[in-house]
């Protein structure tokens, strides 16, 4: 999910040079990607939340349920040591995620790393659309949920909730109109209201809503610090 989220946040043709792109929400990106990792672990039933001292929400690993993915495993190992507050986990696992996730997207051909000259003199590394079509398909799934009212699959629901929680949805206004119904639906997803078909994912929805709310808090506070 973190990989899909990073791909969605990649904005083709937003770079300073034609044909190059940038990643939206860089200032709070590590919180958002960490939230996606925790949400993925929750949907896979690798972690759950409990209530710690003072009513704080903690993340704990489910014993004998380690993930096989090498992006998810370090996060699971971290909370396997002991239950930890959601904000603590986001801050601990987030800073190291961008580089390996971007490398995966490049290896799969979804994004291409290129080189351009600046002022005709200096070479600089740029990111370009890889032409795989995967980003367009993901964006269409998100648009169907927010604009058409399609009931989402759990992963798309969590992905859309995190995208909304990151504060970057307004930047997608060309594909997803920034209207009152869209904003309302996005907020519902943030709160875990995914639709009747997701009833079997009640625990994962609750955990994901908690994670998304913590991402929103972090995204709001971090720029001021």
């Amino acid at each position: 999910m973190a990989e899909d989220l990073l791909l969605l946040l990649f904005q083709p043709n937003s770079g300073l040079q034609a044909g190059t792109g940038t990643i939206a929400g860089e200032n709070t990106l590590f919180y958002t990607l960490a939230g996606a990792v925790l949400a993925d672990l929750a949907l896979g039933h690798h972690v759950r939340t409990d209530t710690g001292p003072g009513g704080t929400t903690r993340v704990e690993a489910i014993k004998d349920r380690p993930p096989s993915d090498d992006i998810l495993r370090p996060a699971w190992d971290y909370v396997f040591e002991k239950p930890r507050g959601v904000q603590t986990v986001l801050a601990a696992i987030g800073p190291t995620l961008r580089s390996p996730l971007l490398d995966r997207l490049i290896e799969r051909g979804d994004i291409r790393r290129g080189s351009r000259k600046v002022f005709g003199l200096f070479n600089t590394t740029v990111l370009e659309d890889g032409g795989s079509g995967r980003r367009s398909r993901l964006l269409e799934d998100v648009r169907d949920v927010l604009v058409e009212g399609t009931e989402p699959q759990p992963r798309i629901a969590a992905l859309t909730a995190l995208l909304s929680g990151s504060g970057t949805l307004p930047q997608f206004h060309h594909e997803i109109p920034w209207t009152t119904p869209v904003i309302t639906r996005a907020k519902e997803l943030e709160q875990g209201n995914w639709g009747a078909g997701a009833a079997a994912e009640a625990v994962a929805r609750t955990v994901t809503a908690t994670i998304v709310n913590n991402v929103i808090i972090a995204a709001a506070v971090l720029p001021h610090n």
Side-chain angles (χ1 to χ4, degrees), residues 64-115:
D64 300 325
R65 290 282 302 171
S68 58
D69 185 275
D70 58 5
I71 294 290
L72 302 181
R73 182 58 187 263
W76 186 89
D77 287 340
Y78 181 65
V79 295
F80 182 72
E81 295 174 4
K82 65 177 182 179
R84 302 177 192 269
V86 178
Q87 288 286 341
T88 299
V89 179
L90 293 176
I93 70 174
T96 61
L97 290 172
R98 185 187 188 278
S99 180
L101 288 169
L102 182 58
D103 287 344
R104 276 192 182 186
L105 292 172
I106 291 169
E107 288 170 8
R108 294 183 181 185
D110 299 315
I111 294 176
R112 184 169 55 245
R113 188 179 278 126
S115 179

Side-chain angles (χ1 to χ4, degrees), residues 117-156:
K117 284 188 178 296
V118 178
F119 305 121
L121 298 173
F122 309 105
N123 284 327
T124 184
T125 300
V126 296
L127 299 177
E128 304 166 343
D129 183 12
S132 69
R134 182 177 162 201
R135 183 182 183 276
S136 296
R137 292 190 294 271
L138 285 170
L139 191 56
E140 186 65 25
D141 287 340
V142 172
R143 188 185 188 283
D144 285 346
V145 172
L146 292 175
V147 178
E148 305 300 332
T150 303
E151 187 168 312
Q153 294 296 315
R155 287 183 64 83
I156 294 299

Side-chain angles (χ1 to χ4, degrees), residues 1 22 33 61 63 66 92 98 105 126 156 171-172 183-184:
M1 189 182 303
T22 58
L33 295 179
K63 188 178 180 180
R98 185 187 188 278
L105 292 172
V126 296
I156 294 299
Q171 298 183 46
F172 293 82
I183 295 169
T184 299

